[in-house]
PDB file of all heavy atoms in Angstrom:
ATOM      1  N   ALA A 342      37.198 -26.557 166.243  1.00  0.00           N
ATOM      2  CA  ALA A 342      36.313 -26.486 165.075  1.00  0.00           C
ATOM      3  C   ALA A 342      36.982 -27.088 163.844  1.00  0.00           C
ATOM      4  O   ALA A 342      36.337 -27.767 163.038  1.00  0.00           O
ATOM      5  CB  ALA A 342      35.928 -25.030 164.806  1.00  0.00           C
ATOM      6  N   SER A 346      35.064 -31.149 166.140  1.00  0.00           N
ATOM      7  CA  SER A 346      34.284 -31.171 167.374  1.00  0.00           C
ATOM      8  C   SER A 346      33.098 -30.214 167.283  1.00  0.00           C
ATOM      9  O   SER A 346      33.225 -29.113 166.738  1.00  0.00           O
ATOM     10  CB  SER A 346      35.149 -30.765 168.573  1.00  0.00           C
ATOM     11  OG  SER A 346      36.135 -31.725 168.837  1.00  0.00           O
ATOM     12  N   LEU A 348      30.900 -27.632 169.425  1.00  0.00           N
ATOM     13  CA  LEU A 348      31.464 -26.718 170.417  1.00  0.00           C
ATOM     14  C   LEU A 348      30.434 -26.257 171.450  1.00  0.00           C
ATOM     15  O   LEU A 348      29.283 -25.980 171.121  1.00  0.00           O
ATOM     16  CB  LEU A 348      32.035 -25.477 169.716  1.00  0.00           C
ATOM     17  CG  LEU A 348      32.999 -25.734 168.555  1.00  0.00           C
ATOM     18  CD1 LEU A 348      33.415 -24.416 167.920  1.00  0.00           C
ATOM     19  CD2 LEU A 348      34.216 -26.504 169.038  1.00  0.00           C
ATOM     20  N   ALA A 363      29.732 -15.932 165.732  1.00  0.00           N
ATOM     21  CA  ALA A 363      29.661 -16.515 164.387  1.00  0.00           C
ATOM     22  C   ALA A 363      29.394 -18.014 164.456  1.00  0.00           C
ATOM     23  O   ALA A 363      28.554 -18.546 163.708  1.00  0.00           O
ATOM     24  CB  ALA A 363      30.966 -16.243 163.640  1.00  0.00           C
ATOM     25  N   PHE A 364      30.085 -18.717 165.347  1.00  0.00           N
ATOM     26  CA  PHE A 364      29.838 -20.151 165.486  1.00  0.00           C
ATOM     27  C   PHE A 364      28.419 -20.420 165.978  1.00  0.00           C
ATOM     28  O   PHE A 364      27.759 -21.360 165.517  1.00  0.00           O
ATOM     29  CB  PHE A 364      30.854 -20.770 166.448  1.00  0.00           C
ATOM     30  CG  PHE A 364      32.216 -21.005 165.848  1.00  0.00           C
ATOM     31  CD1 PHE A 364      33.351 -20.435 166.411  1.00  0.00           C
ATOM     32  CD2 PHE A 364      32.367 -21.797 164.730  1.00  0.00           C
ATOM     33  CE1 PHE A 364      34.601 -20.656 165.868  1.00  0.00           C
ATOM     34  CE2 PHE A 364      33.616 -22.028 164.172  1.00  0.00           C
ATOM     35  CZ  PHE A 364      34.742 -21.445 164.740  1.00  0.00           C
ATOM     36  N   ARG A 366      25.711 -18.547 165.518  1.00  0.00           N
ATOM     37  CA  ARG A 366      24.770 -18.253 164.433  1.00  0.00           C
ATOM     38  C   ARG A 366      24.709 -19.390 163.419  1.00  0.00           C
ATOM     39  O   ARG A 366      23.632 -19.725 162.905  1.00  0.00           O
ATOM     40  CB  ARG A 366      25.172 -16.959 163.718  1.00  0.00           C
ATOM     41  CG  ARG A 366      24.771 -15.682 164.417  1.00  0.00           C
ATOM     42  CD  ARG A 366      24.909 -14.489 163.473  1.00  0.00           C
ATOM     43  NE  ARG A 366      26.238 -14.389 162.891  1.00  0.00           N
ATOM     44  CZ  ARG A 366      27.241 -13.695 163.425  1.00  0.00           C
ATOM     45  NH1 ARG A 366      27.064 -13.066 164.579  1.00  0.00           N
ATOM     46  NH2 ARG A 366      28.405 -13.641 162.812  1.00  0.00           N
ATOM     47  N   ASP A 367      25.866 -19.971 163.128  1.00  0.00           N
ATOM     48  CA  ASP A 367      25.933 -21.004 162.092  1.00  0.00           C
ATOM     49  C   ASP A 367      25.613 -22.401 162.620  1.00  0.00           C
ATOM     50  O   ASP A 367      25.621 -23.369 161.852  1.00  0.00           O
ATOM     51  CB  ASP A 367      27.323 -21.011 161.450  1.00  0.00           C
ATOM     52  CG  ASP A 367      27.614 -19.714 160.694  1.00  0.00           C
ATOM     53  OD1 ASP A 367      26.663 -18.950 160.444  1.00  0.00           O
ATOM     54  OD2 ASP A 367      28.786 -19.466 160.370  1.00  0.00           O
ATOM     55  N   GLY A 368      25.368 -22.537 163.920  1.00  0.00           N
ATOM     56  CA  GLY A 368      24.981 -23.830 164.482  1.00  0.00           C
ATOM     57  C   GLY A 368      26.132 -24.716 164.887  1.00  0.00           C
ATOM     58  O   GLY A 368      25.925 -25.889 165.223  1.00  0.00           O
ATOM     59  N   GLY A 369      27.363 -24.179 164.885  1.00  0.00           N
ATOM     60  CA  GLY A 369      28.512 -24.999 165.266  1.00  0.00           C
ATOM     61  C   GLY A 369      28.784 -25.012 166.755  1.00  0.00           C
ATOM     62  O   GLY A 369      29.533 -25.857 167.231  1.00  0.00           O
ATOM     63  N   SER A 370      28.174 -24.078 167.485  1.00  0.00           N
ATOM     64  CA  SER A 370      28.413 -24.006 168.927  1.00  0.00           C
ATOM     65  C   SER A 370      27.132 -23.612 169.650  1.00  0.00           C
ATOM     66  O   SER A 370      26.204 -23.056 169.057  1.00  0.00           O
ATOM     67  CB  SER A 370      29.531 -23.011 169.251  1.00  0.00           C
ATOM     68  OG  SER A 370      29.141 -21.689 168.914  1.00  0.00           O
ATOM     69  N   ALA A 393      25.602 -34.216 166.394  1.00  0.00           N
ATOM     70  CA  ALA A 393      26.931 -33.705 166.747  1.00  0.00           C
ATOM     71  C   ALA A 393      27.790 -33.512 165.502  1.00  0.00           C
ATOM     72  O   ALA A 393      28.500 -32.506 165.375  1.00  0.00           O
ATOM     73  CB  ALA A 393      27.615 -34.661 167.721  1.00  0.00           C
ATOM     74  N   ARG A 394      27.710 -34.469 164.575  1.00  0.00           N
ATOM     75  CA  ARG A 394      28.488 -34.336 163.328  1.00  0.00           C
ATOM     76  C   ARG A 394      28.012 -33.140 162.517  1.00  0.00           C
ATOM     77  O   ARG A 394      28.822 -32.422 161.915  1.00  0.00           O
ATOM     78  CB  ARG A 394      28.386 -35.618 162.501  1.00  0.00           C
ATOM     79  CG  ARG A 394      29.218 -36.781 163.060  1.00  0.00           C
ATOM     80  CD  ARG A 394      29.336 -37.896 162.044  1.00  0.00           C
ATOM     81  NE  ARG A 394      28.044 -38.496 161.733  1.00  0.00           N
ATOM     82  CZ  ARG A 394      27.514 -39.521 162.393  1.00  0.00           C
ATOM     83  NH1 ARG A 394      28.159 -40.060 163.417  1.00  0.00           N
ATOM     84  NH2 ARG A 394      26.333 -40.017 162.036  1.00  0.00           N
ATOM     85  N   GLN A 395      26.720 -32.886 162.512  1.00  0.00           N
ATOM     86  CA  GLN A 395      26.188 -31.741 161.790  1.00  0.00           C
ATOM     87  C   GLN A 395      26.720 -30.431 162.390  1.00  0.00           C
ATOM     88  O   GLN A 395      27.115 -29.513 161.662  1.00  0.00           O
ATOM     89  CB  GLN A 395      24.658 -31.756 161.828  1.00  0.00           C
ATOM     90  CG  GLN A 395      24.006 -30.617 161.049  1.00  0.00           C
ATOM     91  CD  GLN A 395      22.482 -30.698 161.084  1.00  0.00           C
ATOM     92  OE1 GLN A 395      21.914 -31.634 161.634  1.00  0.00           O
ATOM     93  NE2 GLN A 395      21.823 -29.720 160.494  1.00  0.00           N
ATOM     94  N   ALA A 396      26.730 -30.347 163.716  1.00  0.00           N
ATOM     95  CA  ALA A 396      27.255 -29.154 164.378  1.00  0.00           C
ATOM     96  C   ALA A 396      28.748 -29.000 164.104  1.00  0.00           C
ATOM     97  O   ALA A 396      29.242 -27.888 163.872  1.00  0.00           O
ATOM     98  CB  ALA A 396      26.995 -29.231 165.875  1.00  0.00           C
ATOM     99  N   ALA A 397      29.486 -30.112 164.125  1.00  0.00           N
ATOM    100  CA  ALA A 397      30.924 -30.064 163.865  1.00  0.00           C
ATOM    101  C   ALA A 397      31.207 -29.586 162.438  1.00  0.00           C
ATOM    102  O   ALA A 397      32.127 -28.795 162.212  1.00  0.00           O
ATOM    103  CB  ALA A 397      31.542 -31.437 164.102  1.00  0.00           C
ATOM    104  N   ARG A 398      30.404 -30.052 161.464  1.00  0.00           N
ATOM    105  CA  ARG A 398      30.576 -29.587 160.071  1.00  0.00           C
ATOM    106  C   ARG A 398      30.303 -28.091 159.970  1.00  0.00           C
ATOM    107  O   ARG A 398      31.025 -27.364 159.276  1.00  0.00           O
ATOM    108  CB  ARG A 398      29.649 -30.364 159.139  1.00  0.00           C
ATOM    109  CG  ARG A 398      30.136 -31.760 158.785  1.00  0.00           C
ATOM    110  CD  ARG A 398      29.380 -32.329 157.595  1.00  0.00           C
ATOM    111  NE  ARG A 398      27.962 -32.489 157.893  1.00  0.00           N
ATOM    112  CZ  ARG A 398      27.422 -33.575 158.424  1.00  0.00           C
ATOM    113  NH1 ARG A 398      28.198 -34.614 158.721  1.00  0.00           N
ATOM    114  NH2 ARG A 398      26.125 -33.657 158.642  1.00  0.00           N
ATOM    115  N   ALA A 399      29.273 -27.628 160.668  1.00  0.00           N
ATOM    116  CA  ALA A 399      28.955 -26.199 160.642  1.00  0.00           C
ATOM    117  C   ALA A 399      30.099 -25.379 161.228  1.00  0.00           C
ATOM    118  O   ALA A 399      30.469 -24.324 160.699  1.00  0.00           O
ATOM    119  CB  ALA A 399      27.665 -25.934 161.418  1.00  0.00           C
ATOM    120  N   ALA A 400      30.691 -25.859 162.311  1.00  0.00           N
ATOM    121  CA  ALA A 400      31.813 -25.151 162.929  1.00  0.00           C
ATOM    122  C   ALA A 400      33.008 -25.100 161.985  1.00  0.00           C
ATOM    123  O   ALA A 400      33.659 -24.053 161.831  1.00  0.00           O
ATOM    124  CB  ALA A 400      32.196 -25.828 164.238  1.00  0.00           C
ATOM    125  N   ALA A 401      33.309 -26.224 161.326  1.00  0.00           N
ATOM    126  CA  ALA A 401      34.436 -26.270 160.393  1.00  0.00           C
ATOM    127  C   ALA A 401      34.223 -25.325 159.220  1.00  0.00           C
ATOM    128  O   ALA A 401      35.150 -24.644 158.760  1.00  0.00           O
ATOM    129  CB  ALA A 401      34.653 -27.699 159.905  1.00  0.00           C
ATOM    130  N   GLN A 402      32.991 -25.271 158.715  1.00  0.00           N
ATOM    131  CA  GLN A 402      32.670 -24.378 157.588  1.00  0.00           C
ATOM    132  C   GLN A 402      32.818 -22.910 157.987  1.00  0.00           C
ATOM    133  O   GLN A 402      33.315 -22.086 157.208  1.00  0.00           O
ATOM    134  CB  GLN A 402      31.269 -24.673 157.084  1.00  0.00           C
ATOM    135  CG  GLN A 402      31.154 -26.006 156.363  1.00  0.00           C
ATOM    136  CD  GLN A 402      29.714 -26.457 156.152  1.00  0.00           C
ATOM    137  OE1 GLN A 402      28.767 -25.767 156.561  1.00  0.00           O
ATOM    138  NE2 GLN A 402      29.540 -27.607 155.531  1.00  0.00           N
ATOM    139  N   THR A 403      32.398 -22.580 159.203  1.00  0.00           N
ATOM    140  CA  THR A 403      32.546 -21.202 159.685  1.00  0.00           C
ATOM    141  C   THR A 403      34.015 -20.824 159.789  1.00  0.00           C
ATOM    142  O   THR A 403      34.426 -19.730 159.380  1.00  0.00           O
ATOM    143  CB  THR A 403      31.872 -21.042 161.061  1.00  0.00           C
ATOM    144  OG1 THR A 403      30.492 -21.368 160.943  1.00  0.00           O
ATOM    145  CG2 THR A 403      32.010 -19.619 161.575  1.00  0.00           C
ATOM    146  N   ALA A 404      34.821 -21.722 160.341  1.00  0.00           N
ATOM    147  CA  ALA A 404      36.252 -21.455 160.469  1.00  0.00           C
ATOM    148  C   ALA A 404      36.898 -21.230 159.106  1.00  0.00           C
ATOM    149  O   ALA A 404      37.738 -20.334 158.942  1.00  0.00           O
ATOM    150  CB  ALA A 404      36.929 -22.608 161.201  1.00  0.00           C
ATOM    151  N   HIS A 405      36.499 -22.012 158.116  1.00  0.00           N
ATOM    152  CA  HIS A 405      37.057 -21.860 156.772  1.00  0.00           C
ATOM    153  C   HIS A 405      36.606 -20.542 156.139  1.00  0.00           C
ATOM    154  O   HIS A 405      37.410 -19.814 155.540  1.00  0.00           O
ATOM    155  CB  HIS A 405      36.633 -23.036 155.897  1.00  0.00           C
ATOM    156  CG  HIS A 405      37.110 -22.934 154.486  1.00  0.00           C
ATOM    157  ND1 HIS A 405      38.413 -23.166 154.130  1.00  0.00           N
ATOM    158  CD2 HIS A 405      36.448 -22.594 153.338  1.00  0.00           C
ATOM    159  CE1 HIS A 405      38.550 -22.993 152.825  1.00  0.00           C
ATOM    160  NE2 HIS A 405      37.379 -22.637 152.325  1.00  0.00           N
ATOM    161  N   ARG A 406      35.342 -20.214 156.298  1.00  0.00           N
ATOM    162  CA  ARG A 406      34.779 -19.008 155.676  1.00  0.00           C
ATOM    163  C   ARG A 406      35.424 -17.728 156.198  1.00  0.00           C
ATOM    164  O   ARG A 406      35.575 -16.755 155.451  1.00  0.00           O
ATOM    165  CB  ARG A 406      33.265 -18.972 155.928  1.00  0.00           C
ATOM    166  CG  ARG A 406      32.552 -17.714 155.448  1.00  0.00           C
ATOM    167  CD  ARG A 406      31.044 -17.844 155.572  1.00  0.00           C
ATOM    168  NE  ARG A 406      30.622 -18.131 156.932  1.00  0.00           N
ATOM    169  CZ  ARG A 406      30.470 -17.208 157.878  1.00  0.00           C
ATOM    170  NH1 ARG A 406      30.719 -15.941 157.612  1.00  0.00           N
ATOM    171  NH2 ARG A 406      30.050 -17.539 159.089  1.00  0.00           N
TER     172      ARG A 406
END
Side-chain angles (χ1 to χ4, degrees):
S346 293
L348 309 177
F364 282 122
R366 280 194 306 269
D367 295 346
S370 66
R394 285 193 296 271
Q395 182 178 356
R398 282 195 297 271
Q402 289 166 359
T403 301
H405 177 75
R406 175 173 57 82

